[in-house]
């Protein structure tokens, strides 16, 4: 399994043998308090994962190791499908082998803070009123990893819609529905098997993570600026950063490309196709009143557009010696099409000397994974 990426969970190494990265959080799934103004209804607690027929159906069956989608079962007391009726009728998809991580939920809330307080989408409610309480609720969770079970809540075979749904009756399922914001949030699921299998640890685990669309992420993390996570955010300051005119950007771009005249991935040297990508985001430098860093050529990498996007959005990062570090947010299919082997330890020509502080910031606050969990 040397071709698989590895991740460390509670000091146990796992291979990532499969992943689903793009389950958008629909408004119909979101908790009613977070719903967009254009939609009505309370939201349903079952998550759509695709059709269960045909080739796409085979894909989710293989992923979840479950093949009887559309099983009819009903809890006579609650008048709906429940974990109990699923257990009685063979509708359990995964029994206590799924988990969320506390650190991922906190990171999501850090990323979503700007949208909670300076809402770009139009919601039924002012969602800023919920932020502190939700952050504190996640902080109060005792364990880093919170396990839960999922069961088949799909359309019945007799209904002919063929829509596959998963659901859980565990507490963490209710909580993540309350945290996430519609349309701009995604569910990522990693399928893990232990590197060293034993009788005690031999079945797959499913690591559920929630992610925010890049353009809505707050890069000015409270931990980086020395403020409290639940402190009210300065909306005016956010808007100033968003609208700020990048003084000296052409001079900055020229200096970056002169120092690094070639994209290390595509080998492109045509300046018209190179982007001077900030390592420590421009908005953070301005927030910290460090214009010198915002315009420092050492705080920039010359990258062609696709790889600029990968770096800028935190799908990849670099070590202090220029070694490429790939995150776990993209599928193996995507890495293959990018001609990147995420398990290779390739040193890239990014001239890393004197960039250590900037690279450290990128690894900690822009990169979407925790580098300490990657093996």
């Amino acid at each position: 399994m040397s071709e698989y990426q590895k991740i460390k969970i509670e000091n146990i190494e796992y291979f990532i043998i499969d992943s689903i990265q793009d389950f958008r959080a629909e408004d119909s799934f979101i908790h009613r308090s977070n719903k967009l103004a254009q939609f009505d209804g309370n939201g349903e607690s079952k998550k759509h994962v695709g059709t269960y027929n045909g080739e796409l159906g085979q894909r989710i069956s293989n992923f979840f190791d479950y093949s009887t989608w559309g099983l009819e079962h009903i809890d006579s007391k609650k008048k709906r499908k429940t974990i109990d009726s699923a257990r009685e009728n063979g509708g359990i998809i995964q029994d206590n082998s799924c988990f969320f991580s506390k650190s991922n939920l906190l990171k999501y809330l850090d990323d979503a803070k700007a949208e909670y307080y300076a809402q770009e989408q139009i919601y039924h409610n002012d969602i800023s009123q919920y932020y502190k309480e939700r952050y504190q609720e996640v902080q109060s969770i005792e364990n880093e990893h919170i396990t839960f079970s999922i069961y088949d809540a799909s359309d019945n075979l007799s209904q002919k819609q063929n829509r596959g749904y998963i659901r859980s009756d565990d507490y963490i399922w209710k909580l993540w529905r309350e945290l996430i914001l519609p349309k701009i949030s995604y569910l990522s699921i990693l399928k893990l098997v232990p590197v060293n299998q034993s009788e005690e640890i031999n079945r797959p685990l499913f690591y559920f993570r929630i992610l925010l669309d890049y353009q809505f992420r707050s890069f000015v993390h409270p931990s980086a600026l020395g403020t409290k996570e639940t402190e009210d955010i300065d909306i005016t300051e956010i808007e100033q950063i968003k609208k700020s005119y990048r003084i000296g950007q052409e001079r900055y771009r020229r200096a970056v490309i002169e120092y690094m005249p070639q994209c290390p991935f595509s080998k492109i040297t045509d300046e018209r196709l190179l982007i001077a990508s900030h390592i420590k985001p421009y908005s953070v430098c301005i927030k910290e009143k460090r214009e010198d860093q915002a315009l420092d050529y050492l705080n920039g990498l010359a990258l062609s557009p696709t790889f600029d996007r990968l770096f800028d959005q935190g799908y990849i990062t670099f070590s202090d010696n220029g070694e490429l570090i790939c995150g776990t947010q993209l599928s193996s299919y995507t890495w293959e099409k990018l001609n990147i082997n995420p398990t290779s330890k390739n040193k890239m020509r990014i001239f890393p000397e004197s960039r250590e502080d900037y690279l450290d910031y990128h690894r900690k606050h822009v990169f979407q994974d925790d580098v300490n969990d990657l093996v």
Side-chain angles (χ1 to χ4, degrees):
M1 290 190 177
S2 59
E3 71 275 17
Y4 293 121
Q5 284 182 276
K6 290 193 287 187
I7 190 171
K8 188 164 52 178
I9 306 292
E10 294 182 341
N11 292 318
I12 298 174
E13 293 186 6
Y14 292 87
F15 288 117
I16 303 172
I17 62 169
D18 203 351
S19 66
I20 293 177
Q21 303 287 2
D22 55 357
F23 283 157
R24 186 187 292 271
E26 313 92 335
D27 190 85
S28 59
F29 174 71
I30 302 296
H31 188 270
R32 61 182 178 274
S33 60
N34 298 352
K35 290 182 71 65
L36 295 174
Q38 68 192 96
F39 299 110
D40 295 321
N42 289 325
E44 56 188 10
S45 58
K46 57 182 183 179
K47 179 72 186 76
H48 182 244
V49 293
T51 179
Y52 57 72
N53 266 1
E55 186 177 341
L56 294 177
Q58 192 60 51
R59 167 82 175 99
I60 62 169
S61 293
N62 292 341
F63 183 80
F64 288 109
D65 296 330
Y66 177 81
S67 59
T68 55
W69 298 94
L71 187 72
E72 299 196 26
H73 61 93
I74 190 76
D75 188 311
S76 58
K77 293 181 180 178
K78 296 188 176 180
K79 308 301 181 185
R80 66 169 178 86
K81 295 182 178 184
T82 66
I83 188 73
D84 291 331
S85 63
R87 199 176 297 281
E88 290 174 5
N89 293 278
I92 300 295
I93 297 174
Q94 286 294 325
D95 196 0
N96 212 37
S97 54
C98 304
F99 68 94
F100 280 99
S101 75
K102 177 179 176 179
S103 57
N104 169 251
L105 300 179
L106 290 174
K107 184 179 186 304
Y108 173 84
L109 286 172
D110 280 336
D111 284 342
K113 187 172 186 178
E115 177 62 15
Y116 262 93
Y117 281 96
Q119 296 144 32
E120 292 192 19
Q121 299 191 111
I122 302 174
Y123 301 85
H124 277 289
N125 304 304
D126 176 5
I127 59 174
S128 64
Q129 63 185 301
Y130 308 122
Y131 187 82
K132 289 182 180 180
E133 179 182 349
R134 289 172 179 175
Y135 204 102
Q136 290 167 355
E137 184 170 2
V138 176
Q139 280 188 317
S140 68
I141 296 174
E142 292 184 4
N143 299 319
E144 169 59 20
H145 299 106
I146 310 102
T147 57
F148 61 99
S149 302
I150 56 174
Y151 61 90
D152 188 354
S154 305
D155 293 333
N156 294 336
L157 284 170
S158 60
Q159 292 177 289
K160 300 181 180 179
Q161 285 95 344
N162 305 323
R163 293 173 300 199
Y165 289 91
I166 60 174
R167 182 172 180 167
S168 175
D169 292 345
D170 291 301
Y171 156 78
I172 192 61
W173 192 263
K174 175 179 179 292
L175 179 59
W176 87 278
R177 288 185 61 231
E178 292 177 353
L179 302 181
I180 55 175
L181 304 178
K183 287 195 169 183
I184 59 175
S185 304
Y186 293 85
L187 173 65
S188 159
I189 311 174
L190 302 181
K191 185 176 183 179
L192 311 175
V193 296
V195 173
N196 299 309
Q197 295 195 16
S198 64
E199 289 186 6
E200 295 79 17
I201 311 175
N202 59 7
R203 62 174 180 165
L205 297 179
F206 295 82
Y207 184 6
F208 282 58
R209 302 176 300 177
I210 51 175
L211 312 166
L212 197 69
D213 189 286
Y214 169 76
Q215 72 181 82
F216 291 88
R217 286 178 64 195
S218 306
F219 286 115
V220 188
H221 288 267
S223 59
L225 301 180
T227 60
K228 294 181 180 179
E229 288 85 351
T230 55
E231 186 178 63
D232 285 351
I233 200 160
D234 189 329
I235 297 175
T236 304
E237 203 161 20
I238 288 175
E239 293 305 316
Q240 287 175 345
I241 290 172
K242 287 181 178 179
K243 297 175 182 177
S244 152
Y245 176 70
R246 298 190 172 197
I247 300 172
Q249 282 305 289
E250 184 53 38
R251 176 167 52 86
Y252 161 79
R253 180 178 181 277
R254 217 166 31 243
V256 169
I257 294 175
E258 284 177 3
Y259 186 70
M260 185 180 168
Q262 181 184 68
C263 171
F265 296 95
S266 65
K267 311 305 181 189
I268 287 173
T269 58
D270 189 328
E271 292 185 13
R272 296 171 298 176
L273 300 178
L274 293 177
I275 296 173
S277 185
H278 276 85
I279 303 172
K280 181 177 179 178
Y282 177 87
S283 59
V284 177
C285 298
I286 298 302
K287 173 79 174 180
E288 295 178 346
K289 297 179 172 57
R290 293 300 305 271
E291 187 177 325
D292 58 323
Q293 293 184 350
L295 301 178
D296 182 3
Y297 70 91
L298 290 171
N299 187 21
L301 301 178
L303 301 170
S304 46
T306 297
F307 300 99
D308 163 73
R309 192 168 181 84
L310 286 169
F311 181 71
D312 194 53
Q313 297 191 9
Y315 296 113
I316 61 174
T317 192
F318 297 96
S319 68
D320 286 344
N321 66 359
E323 187 176 285
L324 176 64
I325 302 173
C326 296
T328 63
Q329 310 293 339
L330 300 178
S331 68
S332 57
Y333 175 84
T334 300
W335 288 123
E336 182 181 352
K337 294 303 178 184
L338 289 166
N339 199 29
I340 292 176
N341 181 349
T343 66
S344 296
K345 301 180 183 298
N346 294 324
K347 284 190 179 180
M348 310 300 290
R349 193 170 176 77
I350 66 165
F351 306 96
E353 296 78 11
S354 302
R355 300 185 190 270
E356 289 86 357
D357 288 344
Y358 296 131
L359 290 170
D360 182 63
Y361 189 94
H362 190 275
R363 289 191 297 269
K364 288 179 178 176
H365 301 297
V366 181
F367 187 51
Q368 295 197 43
D369 283 89
D370 185 338
V371 292
N372 296 314
D373 289 340
L374 301 178
V375 181

